[in-house]
Amino acid sequence: MRAWELTADLAVVGTGVAGLTAALRAAELGLRVVIVTKATIEDGNTRWAQGGVAVALPGTGDSVDAHVTDTVAAGARLCDEAAARAILAAGPAAVSALRARGATFDGDPSGLRRAREGGHQAFRIIHAGGDATGAEIERTLAGAVSEQGPLRLPVLEGHTVTEVLRDGAGRVAGLALLGCGDGVLRARAVLLATGGLGQLYAVSTNADVATGDGLALALRAGALTADLEFVQFHPTALYVGPASRGRQPLVTEAIRGAGAVLLDITGAPVMNGVHPLGGLAPRDVVSAAITNRMSATGTDHVLLDATHLGGAQLRRRFPTVHAACIQAGVDPGRMPIPVAPAAHYHCGGVVTDTSGRTTVRGLYAAGEVARTGLHGANRLASNSLLEALVMGTRAAEAVAADLTVAPRPAGSLPPPCAVRPVADRDQVQRAMSAHAGIGRDAAGLAAASAVAAASTPQRPRTPREAEDAGLTLAAAAILAAATARTESRGCHLRTDHPRTRARWRRNIAVVLDSTGAPMVAGPVPVGGAA
Ligand code: SIN
């Protein structure tokens, strides 16, 4: 007997940019929407996003073609170019829609101010509040769904999803929510917009809620996932000491775009001779160069010298970074900022087409949890907020179109909350950081896989246990893909296979086998999902 049951057309899991954009658009299209989050509406990664929205605005001398070129180059030849073009071309309209909802971006007399970040050959990143773009987007979208907003959408805060429920025909029929068996949200469509999985690593720029929940839910529902081995490390998280764990403050790339220089501990420039774009090379290149230099100098951080900007300008243009530095006892106007790479973004995820459809009927994904083909082996800076805006809108429109022809769920719902393997979170984080970060090899990947496999079967009864089950599965899936890719490409650097191999210019798909363990499957179907 379930304690309660709710019904909706669309259940949106997650309250980041993609989730809220989708929920708003779906409601505008007349769907009954319920938003579910394990935390509160403000608790996602969005508010920490300092980098802006990369968009080729008309009339700026930039073009979608140029943006696609930079995206594909950063993606180490593993992007789906058609998907990238479709998503990036929809950028200007997505930004206009967000501004129409009330978001304000930084401007100058010639229009929106545009900055540069790593891998971009053009000034095309728009920001809000200097380095507080995520906070402004979240304010806008959360305001629109709130009690005071025009649509007033129901938000189930503090509800952990344990399973995507499917009917006898395999179609999505709703969500099981904690406590086990107590709550069910019946929905003909489910959109996963749960963000990333930075908490798989000991040190990350991600919020505490980024525990790979959506990836695990999709895998268990039978969805195809791909490019999981590509976990992007941001080159410059603020380094606050050797014992630091969890979320670290980001030091945005836009500071390098404004001329800051990476130096090693001896004062030698890190990026000289490494890449034609120097400190503004794609993120995987900069993170790898920093890692090499740290190893050569026997240190665990490097320095970012932004003193040429001076304290007043840093405070005005980069208020979030400035405040974090001051709090850590570093005056960035007077001294270089200690920085080190940290887990930042999952380039792979649940395979979708460019309308957010996964390979499971009725299941959609958008934002970081999804793999559209835009990012390839390494995401271009500030393409993620753009992708979330575009794909949130498109997924909502796809749900509305699909529901007009979808049959009603057949039969009763299966009982939720199966027993799942759960490994120790601290051990998993340490193993992933040691063996599945920048610089991997077969022995290390096997050691990390053994840690993930040293799990005990549990029926998750608390949000923390449900997260741990998700982290365990996400780790195993990433490790399976990383083990299979015997080359180095983008964010995936293998010390035992340092070269990029033409035969590996293909995407690795992962699904669950009949025992529930991740297995590497065939190639990703052209055009993404079914
Ligand atoms: C940054 O500001 O450096 C991060 C932007 C991003 O992750 O795209």
Side-chain angles (χ1 to χ4, degrees), residues 50-51 117 234 250-254 283 344 379 381-384:
Q50 296 178 8
E117 291 175 7
H234 195 288
L250 189 66
V251 178
T252 177
E253 282 194 5
R283 210 167 266 176
H344 183 60
R379 174 176 67 88
S382 286
N383 266 358
S384 47

Side-chain angles (χ1 to χ4, degrees), residues 69-408:
T69 300
D70 289 348
T71 297
V72 169
R77 307 191 75 206
L78 222 57
C79 300
D80 176 336
E81 193 167 331
R85 187 172 300 280
I87 293 166
L88 298 179
V95 169
S96 297
L98 185 64
R99 295 177 78 192
R101 293 197 193 280
T104 308
F105 288 93
D106 299 340
D108 56 28
S110 64
L112 292 182
R113 188 182 305 141
R114 286 167 292 119
R116 253 185 93 192
E117 291 175 7
H120 290 272
Q121 312 248 23
F123 284 77
R124 65 165 71 96
I125 325 287
I126 57 172
H127 288 90
D131 60 5
T133 313
E136 172 62 5
I137 296 179
E138 182 187 288
R139 180 197 67 74
T140 305
L141 296 175
V145 302
S146 74
E147 292 278 301
Q148 289 73 40
L151 292 165
R152 279 188 218 152
L153 300 183
V155 183
L156 291 181
E157 293 187 328
H159 284 75
T160 297
V161 177
T162 54
E163 195 167 334
V164 175
L165 301 171
R166 289 183 298 149
D167 67 13
R171 259 202 73 87
V172 162
L175 296 171
L177 304 164
L178 270 182
C180 291
D182 289 348
V184 163
L185 173 54
R186 282 185 177 267
R188 294 167 67 205
V190 166
L191 172 73
L192 298 174
T194 48
L197 42 69
Q199 295 303 323
L200 259 184
Y201 290 83
V203 174
S204 161
T205 62
N206 289 187
D208 292 347
V209 294
T211 49
D213 310 344
L215 179 65
L217 288 168
L219 279 165
R220 290 189 204 115
L224 188 73
T225 65
D227 297 344
L228 301 186
E229 63 275 34
F230 301 113
V231 179
Q232 183 174 74
F233 278 64
H234 195 288
T236 57
L238 182 64
Y239 172 82
V240 291
S244 55
R245 293 288 298 264
R247 195 189 76 78
Q248 309 296 311
L250 189 66
V251 178
T252 177
E253 282 194 5
I255 294 193
R256 273 176 280 138
V261 179
L262 283 164
L263 306 171
D264 72 15
I265 210 75
T266 71
V270 171
M271 293 306 296
N272 275 10
V274 173
H275 190 279
L277 291 175
L280 285 178
R283 210 167 266 176
D284 55 336
V285 176
V286 182
S287 287
I290 290 174
T291 304
N292 286 340
R293 197 58 74 90
M294 291 192 309
S295 152
T297 54
T299 53
D300 53 7
H301 65 282
V302 294
L303 302 168
L304 182 67
D305 189 350
T307 51
H308 70 290
L309 292 170
Q313 197 181 162
L314 280 165
R315 197 179 315 109
R316 185 170 47 78
R317 285 182 64 184
F318 304 105
T320 314
V321 172
H322 188 269
C325 289
I326 295 294
Q327 198 180 357
V330 175
D331 180 347
R334 292 175 185 276
M335 59 181 89
I337 307 167
V339 291
H344 183 60
Y345 190 89
H346 197 198
C347 301
V350 186
V351 172
T352 74
D353 65 10
T354 51
S355 293
R357 294 183 184 95
T358 72
T359 51
V360 174
R361 280 176 301 153
L363 184 65
Y364 303 76
E368 185 172 347
V369 68
R371 179 271 183 202
T372 59
L374 174 65
H375 307 310
N378 173 58
R379 174 176 67 88
L380 183 66
S382 286
N383 266 358
S384 47
L385 285 176
L386 184 80
E387 186 190 44
L389 289 167
V390 170
M391 292 305 299
T393 305
R394 285 179 162 226
E397 291 170 354
V399 171
D402 295 349
L403 287 188
T404 60
V405 293
R408 298 261 153 207

Side-chain angles (χ1 to χ4, degrees), residues 428-467:
V428 170
Q429 289 174 334
R430 288 181 193 277
M432 291 298 284
S433 289
H435 302 302
I438 304 170
R440 308 162 166 187
D441 63 23
L445 291 167
S449 301
V451 171
S455 53
T456 46
Q458 278 181 29
R459 186 180 295 273
R461 295 192 187 280
T462 65
R464 176 84 179 186
E465 286 170 6
E467 277 186 354

